[in-house]
Amino acid sequence: MKPYPVPPRPARRLTGLLLALPLAAVTTAAAAALDYNRDVKPILAENCFACHGPDSASRKAKLRLDRFEFATKARGDGDLPAAIVPGDPARSPLMERLRTTDPEEIMPPPETHKRLRPDEVALLERWIREGANYEEHWSLIAPRAVAVPEVPL
């Protein structure tokens, strides 16, 4: 049985370049503005909304994270601070709870068997720093035309 032939050096460079292009696209997309429905809501829905979402019967700590007007106002009778301080992740209790190592304070709680990855925590921090903008459900947002990118041939 013959081994596979090794392609000539220019072909290997081209292959390496082609493999690197998707990584460049991901890096460029990461630098673009965050989109709540695409980037943030899936993290919150997977890890937070079961206890801090729209269902008042299952809501914990008088905290609702699915709507801007609830996540950014004082909770309870005004005795509990807002979970999110738009533009200031350092003053946002949500970030404290995501970053702590105290099993009594960390969110999501250990008994849920859910854990945010460091990149998800960083993305939420960035979202808060950028103003914690919420959006309506994607189906309620009118489509908008985008410019067709130039594609070199």
Side-chain angles (χ1 to χ4, degrees):
M1 186 157 116
K2 292 172 98 177
Y4 288 108
V6 176
R9 194 175 217 45
R12 287 190 301 223
R13 284 191 190 132
L14 180 60
T15 302
L17 177 64
L18 292 175
L19 291 174
L21 284 176
L23 179 60
V26 169
T27 303
T28 303
L34 291 175
D35 179 271
Y36 174 76
N37 285 326
R38 181 193 65 217
D39 303 317
V40 177
K41 190 175 184 179
I43 297 170
L44 296 176
E46 175 66 27
N47 298 287
C48 308
F49 287 175
C51 297
H52 305 295
D55 184 6
S56 61
S58 65
R59 195 169 307 132
K60 308 259 197 283
K62 301 176 185 173
L63 174 59
R64 186 171 175 182
L65 291 173
D66 64 313
R67 307 277 306 178
F68 179 85
E69 60 270 19
F70 300 116
T72 59
K73 74 173 190 172
R75 297 172 287 136
D77 298 325
D79 55 333
L80 299 170
I84 297 173
V85 179
D88 195 350
R91 289 186 39 229
S92 297
L94 174 67
M95 293 309 302
E96 291 175 27
R97 299 297 292 268
L98 293 175
R99 288 212 161 106
T100 187
T101 56
D102 181 350
E104 297 294 320
E105 297 290 321
I106 194 166
M107 288 291 145
E111 61 268 13
T112 65
H113 303 289
K114 294 182 180 192
R115 184 105 176 133
L116 272 73
R117 297 185 319 264
D119 63 307
E120 293 173 323
V121 174
L123 190 137
L124 290 175
E125 180 179 16
R126 179 178 159 204
W127 171 66
I128 292 171
R129 189 179 315 106
E130 290 179 3
N133 295 317
Y134 280 74
E135 296 175 326
E136 291 294 327
H137 187 272
W138 65 266
S139 67
L140 301 175
I141 298 173
R144 58 184 182 263
V146 295
V148 178
E150 289 288 326
V151 179
L153 298 175

